[in-house]
Amino acid sequence: MNSTASQSLLGTEDAAPVMVVNPKGASSFLLIGDHAGNAVPQALGSLGLSDTDLSRHIGWDIGIGELGALLAERLDAVFVRQTYSRLVIDCNRSPSQPDLIAEVSDATVVPGNAALDDAARAARFAEIHTPYQAAIADEIARRDAAGMATVLVALHSFTPAMQGALRDQDRPWHIGILHDGGDTAFAHALLDVLRQEADLVVGDNQPYRMDLIDYTIPRHAYPERRPYAEIEVRQDLLGSTDGCSAWADRLARLLPDALAKV
């Protein structure tokens, strides 16, 4: 199929595609969660997947919705978070990326993403991806107008193990800091303070590199050289409220320490 007719996706029964937690937060840190939710619009059913699959790491960044809300409270920061599963559309990918709407994720076939026509793809982009990115841009513009500083902190989590050839590997890191273009001074300062934590194994652009695949940080941080860091926490450390709370406590302590070093 290659239809170009307009096609609506979200109905009145569906949640808004983006949520802003603590919208009046006064902190210079702006927290963002590209993969914080795993909802699926009712029109898409379950994408042909089980609830178990949607709750796995392929469906979202496990723990990030809870971690982000707790960290926003501790820092008095704004947290802009995505509602829908990364399998509906990945809000950290550009429209040209082949895995924007993945047909296979970590060896799991996603039936509801097979052979989508142009209208179906456009509806997901217009109704989920675009509003999420616009909410981040609007919050930055609001802060700029108010004379507030902005340090972008993208919150992600990673699975301890991936399936498939060439992907099975030990992932010893508890946390990784990703960075590439733009102003990387804050990301490097955060790496420095994390390395002083004796109980942590810290990854520098591990377990992933920030590169041309990433979309949100390059879009919102690079052009104006805004300070940023993309944080990856291992998911088995965020599997409970206690785990999320402990990491929120740690990051609420270390993020300001890192910023003071820039």
Side-chain angles (χ1 to χ4, degrees), residues 20 76 91 94 104 117 121 123 129 136 219 222-223 229 259:
V20 180
D76 189 25
C91 287
S94 74
V104 180
D117 64 25
R121 296 179 68 87
H129 192 292
I136 296 171
R219 173 176 177 173
Y222 289 8
L259 186 58

Side-chain angles (χ1 to χ4, degrees), residues 152 181-183 215-226:
L152 279 164
D183 183 351
Y215 182 75
T216 304
I217 286 292
R219 173 176 177 173
H220 297 287
Y222 289 8
E224 301 298 325
R225 297 189 64 80
R226 299 182 191 277

Side-chain angles (χ1 to χ4, degrees), residues 115-167:
L116 295 181
D117 64 25
D118 291 346
R121 296 179 68 87
R124 296 192 196 188
F125 193 84
E127 297 184 47
I128 296 176
H129 192 292
T130 296
Y132 172 69
Q133 294 293 336
I136 296 171
D138 289 348
E139 174 59 21
I140 292 172
R142 181 191 72 81
R143 297 160 72 89
D144 285 351
M148 294 176 65
T150 297
V151 181
L152 279 164
V153 177
L155 299 173
H156 292 262
S157 65
F158 66 95
T159 180
M162 291 284 284
Q163 300 176 18
L166 304 179
R167 305 198 74 172

Side-chain angles (χ1 to χ4, degrees), residues 58-251:
I58 62 171
W60 59 341
D61 278 355
I62 294 168
I64 290 303
E66 187 169 9
L67 172 64
L70 291 169
L71 188 55
E73 179 182 8
R74 284 157 172 73
L75 291 172
D76 189 25
V78 177
F79 176 36
V80 181
R81 54 154 294 175
Q82 173 55 250
T83 301
Y84 289 98
S85 172
R86 66 196 303 169
L87 296 177
V88 176
I89 190 165
D90 191 331
C91 287
N92 194 31
R93 296 292 183 268
S94 74
S96 63
Q97 288 293 335
D99 61 345
L100 175 73
I101 300 175
E103 295 187 19
V104 180
S105 181
D106 195 17
T108 297
V109 175
V110 186
N113 289 350
L116 295 181
D117 64 25
D118 291 346
R121 296 179 68 87
R124 296 192 196 188
F125 193 84
E127 297 184 47
I128 296 176
H129 192 292
T130 296
Y132 172 69
Q133 294 293 336
I136 296 171
D138 289 348
E139 174 59 21
I140 292 172
R142 181 191 72 81
R143 297 160 72 89
D144 285 351
M148 294 176 65
T150 297
V151 181
L152 279 164
V153 177
L155 299 173
H156 292 262
S157 65
F158 66 95
T159 180
M162 291 284 284
Q163 300 176 18
L166 304 179
R167 305 198 74 172
D168 294 319
Q169 58 176 322
D170 183 30
R171 286 178 156 186
W173 311 281
H174 300 105
I175 187 171
I177 303 301
L178 279 54
H179 54 88
D180 184 29
D183 183 351
T184 63
F186 174 71
H188 282 101
L190 185 54
L191 278 166
D192 288 343
V193 298
L194 283 164
R195 286 168 176 151
Q196 294 172 25
E197 302 284 291
D199 60 329
L200 294 184
V201 179
V202 180
D204 181 353
N205 273 329
Q206 296 285 358
Y208 310 108
R209 293 194 60 82
M210 176 175 280
D211 52 27
L212 295 177
I213 292 176
D214 287 272
Y215 182 75
T216 304
I217 286 292
R219 173 176 177 173
H220 297 287
Y222 289 8
E224 301 298 325
R225 297 189 64 80
R226 299 182 191 277
Y228 74 88
E230 185 163 317
I231 297 175
E232 292 271 0
V233 181
R234 207 174 66 207
Q235 288 169 354
D236 58 314
L237 306 176
L238 298 176
S240 67
T241 294
D242 286 348
C244 291
S245 183
W247 274 97
D249 288 343
R250 192 192 294 256
L251 290 173

